[in-house]
């Protein structure tokens, strides 16, 4: 489930044009490309993509009509805006999705790297997990936002996986070409794959 997948209906902020478009102009087309990549990557893993109708942080406005997040530094905030109404809407949407799909396992973002959207969903997953005792809840590492910020919340139950799972994950991630372009400048010997391997949390112990 991609929570913040809604295309904007009007102008977008400068930060949205920078990170959510292919050419700095057409945000709607850029988001459609991302949804196509999402479906392709999840199909490779044998999963079905579900896109919810919420705007990305870079495209949200306050009640005064001003952009809530105008800089990248605003989007990575350890103490983000509460956005109470949005949080309630996301919680309702996820509760409905979990119930309607009869999900036995829910894996959400841990919020490492402090991206405001990831923190919001992480908090919602924590809230929902308290109410659904029969559903297993785990977390995944927030890459690439966790680069340079390796501290995970104490007690976080990460979804474990071995080398085969990591290889499958990296293969699927390679299909997100429009987003990987921002990682082309990495100095890692293996490129972005090396960075992702190095930052992956809670690897299985060697036996």
């Amino acid at each position: 489930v991609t929570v913040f997948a809604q295309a904007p209906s009007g102008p977008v902020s400068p930060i949205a044009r920078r990170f959510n478009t292919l050419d700095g102009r057409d945000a709607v087309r850029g988001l459609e490309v991302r949804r196509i990549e999402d479906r392709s990557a999840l199909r490779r893993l044998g999963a079905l993509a579900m896109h919810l109708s919420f705007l990305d942080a870079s495209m949200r406005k306050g009640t005064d009509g001003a952009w809530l997040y105008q800089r990248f530094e605003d989007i990575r905030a350890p103490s983000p805006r509460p956005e109470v109404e949005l949080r309630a809407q996301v919680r309702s949407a996820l509760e409905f999705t979990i119930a309607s799909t009869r999900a036995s396992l829910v894996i959400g973002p841990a919020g490492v790297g402090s991206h405001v959207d990831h923190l919001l969903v992480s908090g919602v997953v924590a809230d929902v997990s308290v109410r659904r005792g029969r559903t297993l809840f785990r977390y995944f590492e927030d890459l690439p936002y966790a680069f340079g910020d390796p501290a995970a919340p104490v007690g976080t139950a990460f979804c474990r996986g071995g080398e085969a799972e990591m290889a499958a994950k990296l293969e699927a991630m390679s299909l997100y070409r429009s987003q990987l372009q921002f990682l082309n400048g990495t100095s890692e010997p293996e490129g972005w794959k090396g960075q992702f391997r190095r930052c992956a949390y809670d690897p299985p112990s060697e036996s």
Side-chain angles (χ1 to χ4, degrees), residues 23-40:
D23 57 7
R25 295 187 296 275
D26 191 348
V28 174
R29 174 56 182 161
L31 285 174
E32 177 56 29
V33 167
R34 286 196 173 193
R35 286 192 290 267
I36 292 172
E37 292 172 340
D38 207 19
R39 288 190 286 268
S40 296

Side-chain angles (χ1 to χ4, degrees), residues 71-205:
R71 304 173 304 158
F72 186 61
E73 292 78 6
D74 298 331
I75 293 177
R76 292 188 63 176
S79 300
R81 298 170 181 268
E83 296 194 78
V84 176
E85 183 177 352
L86 175 62
R87 184 184 177 111
Q89 292 171 347
V90 170
R91 182 174 63 246
S92 177
L94 288 182
E95 286 181 327
F96 174 80
T97 301
I98 293 170
S100 62
T101 59
R102 298 182 180 179
S104 59
L105 171 65
V106 175
I107 306 174
V112 182
S114 300
H115 188 292
V116 295
D117 286 346
H118 290 227
L119 289 171
L120 188 150
V121 175
S122 181
V124 167
V125 168
D127 290 344
V128 174
S129 67
V130 174
R131 304 172 186 167
R132 300 189 64 85
R134 296 183 180 179
T135 303
L136 181 63
F137 289 82
R138 291 291 183 267
Y139 294 89
F140 63 83
E141 68 273 17
D142 305 68
L143 299 174
Y145 301 109
F147 289 169
D149 187 6
V154 175
T156 299
F158 282 104
C159 186
R160 291 178 177 271
E163 184 58 32
E165 288 77 13
M166 174 60 77
K169 178 177 181 177
L170 293 176
E171 181 182 2
M173 289 171 64
S174 68
L175 298 177
Y176 291 92
R177 295 184 179 89
S178 69
Q179 299 180 61
L180 291 174
Q181 64 181 326
F182 297 111
L183 300 177
N184 285 342
T186 175
S187 60
E188 289 283 332
E190 296 181 63
W192 65 268
K193 290 185 179 181
Q195 270 192 313
F196 277 56
R197 284 179 180 277
R198 180 174 58 80
C199 289
Y201 290 104
D202 203 16
S205 58

